[in-house]
Amino acid sequence: MTSRRGRLKAGPFSLAALLLVWASPSLAQEAYVTAQLANEVAVVDLGAGKVIAHIPVDGAPAGIALSPDRKTAYVTRPEGQSVAVLDLDKRTVTASVAVHGGPLGIAVNPKTGVVYVADWYATRVVVLTPSPEGLKQTGEIAVGKSPSGLAVTPNGGTLLVANREADSVSVVDLATAKETHVIAVGRHPFGLTLSADGSRAYTANVTSNDVSVIDVPGHREIGRIATGDRPYVVALAGGHGFVTDQYSNSVTAFGLDDLKPAGSIDVEDHPEGIAASRDGKSLYVANWGDNTLSVIDAATLKVTGKIAVPDGPRAFGDFLR
């Protein structure tokens, strides 16, 4: 499942969302790239444009999310059926928490620090709660089939889950840990991204080649935008959305107001994870096929640089600090 060409696209070991960060407004200076085939998390100095450290993480590391204080990373390990806990200042793995099944997408509650892990092989999200003794599994939440991308609203009250095989998004009330609404979207939603105020969500729909736009308070889809082939995950910056198109080797830009395509940006081979810098001026794209990060100027919609990274970069989730 982790060979470069012989894998299911946007499958359990593919990377992708989600995700905006609701913590410090400081500018992103480092990227933490899950390099699945290299079995590591690569630390990239974005200013210098190079990898400056390697954190070994076995088990085909895939999804990543950062704690509210930006000092800890949580990394899903699909082949290790667990979540690795990383101290980002010391650049070491401090713990591994078992999550049986297919741990893939991951998100952190910005208010409580609780970690949510999507089990790709099931219909559940696993709940991991920080404690003085470490991260502990404290429950699970029933959702749709093959959950992938996750995002938590800025107030910490709602979890949204992209259910790939159910063509839907689950809305979960975190006070009760219950699904309260199911929103129909395009075919096979994978990455899921929230706007900064939590009012809109965007899913990259892998097999219908479009992005669904969701009115979060209204619990309904309000629009779709055509993309390139096999969209993976969305990032937001400078009044635009940007979605990676795996099979088109491109990023489709679209307007957040008019919900219309604004251009196609050529990147490298098989782009997957994408995230925006804190100032909204740059986007960073993990290109699985040629082991690079593409740097995009959000204003000009042009590629301005390329950074070499280790083998099999996914960067599915919140990977900038």
Side-chain angles (χ1 to χ4, degrees):
M1 292 298 292
T2 56
S3 64
R4 188 173 301 282
R5 295 301 178 190
R7 74 195 189 290
L8 174 67
K9 304 300 182 180
F13 310 140
S14 294
L15 248 194
L18 332 147
L19 326 199
L20 294 184
V21 178
W22 317 116
S24 164
S26 61
L27 304 185
Q29 298 181 14
E30 292 180 334
Y32 295 85
V33 179
T34 52
Q36 192 169 49
L37 300 182
N39 279 304
E40 68 171 76
V41 172
V43 183
V44 180
D45 182 321
L46 297 175
K50 64 180 182 180
V51 174
I52 58 173
H54 303 265
I55 307 172
V57 180
D58 62 5
I64 184 167
L66 303 190
S67 61
D69 65 6
R70 320 304 287 162
K71 294 182 178 181
T72 304
Y74 305 99
V75 176
T76 55
R77 302 164 62 233
E79 292 183 2
Q81 295 193 23
S82 62
V83 170
V85 182
L86 280 59
D87 182 318
L88 296 183
D89 293 332
K90 296 180 179 179
R91 296 174 181 165
T92 59
V93 176
T94 60
S96 180
V97 182
V99 178
H100 299 295
L104 177 61
I106 188 166
V108 177
N109 191 309
K111 297 298 185 183
T112 65
V114 172
V115 179
Y116 304 96
V117 183
D119 181 354
W120 176 269
Y121 293 143
T123 56
R124 66 172 187 155
V125 171
V126 175
V127 181
L128 305 177
T129 302
S131 73
E133 294 76 35
L135 201 63
K136 303 292 184 182
Q137 183 170 333
T138 55
E140 58 183 61
I141 301 167
V143 293
K145 187 177 181 181
S146 294
S148 54
L150 308 176
V152 182
T153 54
N155 65 8
T158 302
L159 172 70
L160 286 91
V161 183
N163 303 309
R164 188 186 188 277
E165 298 302 318
D167 297 341
S168 69
V169 169
S170 293
V171 180
V172 176
D173 177 2
L174 291 177
T176 62
K178 299 293 185 183
E179 180 186 75
T180 59
H181 297 84
V182 177
I183 304 168
V185 293
R187 296 194 304 275
H188 290 180
F190 192 69
L192 188 152
T193 302
L194 274 171
S195 63
D197 63 1
S199 64
R200 283 189 177 183
Y202 304 83
T203 64
N205 305 317
V206 175
T207 59
S208 55
N209 294 330
D210 52 29
V211 168
S212 289
V213 184
I214 295 169
D215 173 2
V216 176
H219 308 122
R220 63 191 182 97
E221 183 188 53
I222 58 173
R224 289 193 195 177
I225 304 110
T227 67
D229 198 11
R230 292 274 175 151
Y232 193 73
V233 71
V234 178
L236 310 175
H240 288 98
F242 298 83
V243 58
T244 48
D245 305 316
Q246 295 170 292
Y247 285 13
S248 299
N249 298 334
S250 65
V251 171
T252 297
F254 60 89
L256 297 181
D257 291 330
D258 62 12
L259 303 183
K260 294 181 179 179
S264 179
I265 306 162
D266 290 335
V267 289
E268 303 300 325
D269 184 23
H270 209 88
E272 296 197 347
I274 183 171
S277 61
R278 296 290 177 275
D279 61 2
K281 293 182 178 180
S282 300
L283 297 112
Y284 299 90
V285 179
N287 300 300
W288 162 267
D290 77 337
N291 303 330
T292 60
L293 288 182
S294 291
V295 185
I296 295 174
D297 185 305
T300 64
L301 308 185
K302 302 290 185 182
V303 173
T304 59
K306 183 170 69 172
I307 303 169
V309 295
D311 199 14
R314 296 290 190 194
F316 182 40
D318 174 12
F319 67 95
L320 300 185
R321 181 168 85 139

